[in-house]
């Protein structure tokens, strides 16, 4: 059974710091991996999606990498800002047309001004 | 933002009562999903739909049923609510060939 783990559960950094969030999964036979952001009391906002054939995706200050063989993905946030404070979730899809997602429990990020 | 709404946004109900949550989309996407989010468990899939009247179970489907009579609406029903079903419920959509999932704002359900 696929399991997705995110470590650390919480992270606090000063503004301007570059940081890395980690996501690991137990079964490397994934179809894609998606990173989300969740603000308190809100829904999930998709940040980046990486197909299994890709190694990384970039959007603005965000860069996500994928290493299927080792079962790991990282989300790199450059020059962090207080507005980046949120919970970051990763989720993997094991394929099939229905694209059901299996989520990690998230990393709560606080960027201190 | 993807056009997804959920209703109600908040609900308090008593144990044993039936509850129906609604997800409505304006994107005409084929796939719709219901997840629940609980502390320590992350989001878990309850049921999903791959077309009108086509649904299937997810990881935590016991105590829940779903219906999809129109492309735009996906209903989640708790036949007899229990305290263990207190949670935040999220609806999501995706389209064939576009593997990205888009989420609604969520419904906070409290069963007393």
């Amino acid at each position: 059974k696929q399991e997705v783990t995110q470590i650390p559960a919480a992270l606090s950094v000063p503004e301007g710091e570059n940081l890395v969030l980690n996501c690991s999964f137990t079964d490397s036979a994934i179809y894609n991996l998606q990173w989300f952001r969740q603000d308190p009391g809100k829904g999930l906002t998709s940040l980046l999606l990486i197909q299994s054939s890709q190694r990384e995706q970039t959007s603005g200050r965000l860069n996500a990498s994928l290493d299927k063989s080792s079962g790991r993905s990282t989300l790199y946030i450059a020059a962090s800002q207080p507005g980046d404070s949120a919970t970051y979730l990763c989720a993997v899809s094991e394929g099939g047309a229905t694209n059901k997602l299996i989520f990690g429990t998230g990393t709560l990020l606080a960027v201190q001004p | 933002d993807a056009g997804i709404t959920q209703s109600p946004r908040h609900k308090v109900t008593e144990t044993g009562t039936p509850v129906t949550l609604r997800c409505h989309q304006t994107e005409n996407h084929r796939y719709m999903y219901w997840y629940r989010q609980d502390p320590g468990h992350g989001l878990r899939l309850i049921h999903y739909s791959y077309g009108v009247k086509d649904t299937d179970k997810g990881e935590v489907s016991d105590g829940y049923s779903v219906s999809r009579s129109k492309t735009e609406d996906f209903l989640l029903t708790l036949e007899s609510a229990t305290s263990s079903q207190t949670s935040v419920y999220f609806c999501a959509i995706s389209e064939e060939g576009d593997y990205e999932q888009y989420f609604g704002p969520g419904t906070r359900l409290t069963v007393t």
Side-chain angles (χ1 to χ4, degrees), chain B residues 87-106:
Chain B
S87 187
V88 181
Y89 292 85
F90 288 100
C91 173
I93 64 174
S94 70
E95 183 57 290
E96 200 160 15
D98 173 7
Y99 304 104
E100 200 160 354
Q101 284 194 22
Y102 305 93
F103 280 74

Side-chain angles (χ1 to χ4, degrees), chain A residues 31 34 38 46 51 98-99, chain B residues 33 37 48 99-101:
Chain A
Y31 196 68
Q34 201 167 346
Q38 185 176 28
S46 179
Q51 300 291 353
T98 55
N99 195 36
Chain B
Y33 313 83
Q37 184 175 34
Y48 63 98
Y99 304 104
E100 200 160 354
Q101 284 194 22

Side-chain angles (χ1 to χ4, degrees), chain B residues 2-110:
Chain B
I4 311 170
T5 57
Q6 293 184 231
S7 59
R9 293 293 314 281
H10 302 272
K11 185 170 183 66
V12 180
T13 192
E14 293 183 349
T15 298
T17 60
V19 176
T20 295
L21 308 183
R22 179 181 183 237
C23 176
H24 178 78
Q25 60 148 329
T26 58
E27 306 296 322
N28 202 37
H29 282 9
R30 179 179 176 186
Y31 301 102
M32 299 185 76
Y33 313 83
W34 277 108
Y35 294 90
R36 60 178 289 175
Q37 184 175 34
D38 304 289
H41 289 280
L43 279 89
R44 294 177 291 174
L45 182 66
I46 306 171
H47 280 281
Y48 63 98
S49 169
Y50 46 97
V52 173
K53 298 185 179 177
D54 291 324
T55 65
D56 206 348
K57 296 179 180 180
E59 179 188 1
V60 290
S61 60
D62 288 348
Y64 302 95
S65 62
V66 290
S67 65
R68 191 172 178 196
S69 59
K70 299 185 290 185
T71 298
E72 57 266 36
D73 289 325
F74 193 31
L75 304 181
L76 177 70
T77 297
L78 291 66
E79 301 291 345
S80 178
T82 68
S83 58
S84 65
Q85 293 176 312
T86 292
S87 187
V88 181
Y89 292 85
F90 288 100
C91 173
I93 64 174
S94 70
E95 183 57 290
E96 200 160 15
D98 173 7
Y99 304 104
E100 200 160 354
Q101 284 194 22
Y102 305 93
F103 280 74
T107 293
R108 183 173 295 276
L109 176 68
T110 301

Side-chain angles (χ1 to χ4, degrees), chain A residues 66-98:
Chain A
L66 175 64
D67 184 343
K68 275 183 55 177
S69 61
S70 66
R72 286 192 286 188
S73 176
T74 61
L75 180 66
Y76 174 83
I77 302 177
S80 59
Q81 304 170 357
D84 294 330
S85 298
T87 296
Y88 290 81
L89 298 159
C90 73
V92 301
S93 167
E94 294 186 316
T98 55

